[in-house]
């Protein structure tokens, strides 16, 4: 069984977070260390440890999660300006919480390549 993570605790409301959206499928909350004016993390209520694990899931479930991420970005008012969606996966990408989370980051001009 997968280890309990900080985001399991946020989902169970055992750790406080600034939740910006919650429905049957997903929870979205503000990152505690924002990298842009808007920085929100979106987790599915069904747990996957990483992006690689999500890719093995039922396509309908994957689709609902991705649609949820896009919906949160729209609700945050980022559709017109644009935004980044980042899934840090594994050690070189510096994934620190092993509960899949999409970073939605926006509200400023980004550069490429990322750091
Ligand atoms: P990652 O490095 O992709 O695993 O991202 C984990 C993210 O969780 C980081 O951007 C952290 O700033 C963020 N984070 C850590 N603790 C909290 C917390 N208590 N509430 C909200 N975000 C958090």
């Amino acid at each position: 069984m997968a280890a309990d993570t900080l985001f399991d605790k946020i989902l169970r409301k055992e750790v406080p977070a600034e939740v910006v959206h919650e429905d049957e499928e997903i929870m979205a909350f503000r990152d505690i260390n924002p990298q842009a004016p808007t920085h929100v993390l979106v987790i599915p209520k069904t747990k996957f440890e990483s992006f690689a694990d999500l890719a093995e899931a039922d396509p309908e479930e994957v689709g609902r999660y991705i649609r949820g991420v896009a919906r949160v970005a729209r609700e945050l008012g980022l559709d017109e300006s644009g935004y980044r969606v980042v899934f840090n996966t594994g050690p070189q990408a510096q994934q620190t919480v092993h509960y899949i989370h999409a970073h939605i980051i926006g509200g400023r001009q980004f550069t490429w390549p990322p750091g």
Side-chain angles (χ1 to χ4, degrees):
M1 201 180 134
D4 203 35
T5 71
L6 174 64
F7 293 171
D8 291 278
K9 295 185 175 87
I10 287 178
L11 186 56
R12 295 197 301 265
K13 314 262 164 88
E14 292 169 12
V15 169
E18 193 183 336
V19 175
V20 297
H21 176 104
E22 184 171 9
D23 60 37
E24 319 77 63
E25 308 274 349
I26 59 169
M27 178 189 266
F29 49 93
R30 294 198 188 277
D31 196 292
I32 207 166
N33 182 23
Q35 301 301 309
T38 301
H39 188 167
V40 163
L41 305 174
V42 187
I43 62 172
K45 289 195 169 177
T46 302
K47 182 177 182 176
F48 301 96
E49 289 191 49
S50 72
F51 185 72
D53 290 343
L54 176 76
E56 301 300 320
D58 170 14
E60 283 200 18
E61 195 165 8
V62 178
R64 285 197 298 272
Y65 175 44
I66 297 301
R67 267 198 300 279
V69 174
R71 178 179 170 183
V72 171
R74 194 167 57 243
E75 289 171 357
L76 291 166
L78 295 173
D79 259 3
E80 210 168 301
S81 56
Y83 55 91
R84 280 206 183 146
V85 176
V86 175
F87 290 95
N88 291 325
T89 307
Q92 282 202 332
Q94 297 196 318
Q95 181 181 3
T96 57
V97 180
H98 295 276
Y99 187 132
I100 192 172
H101 48 284
H103 295 253
I104 297 176
I105 45 181
R108 68 169 168 84
Q109 182 64 53
F110 294 110
T111 57
W112 195 264

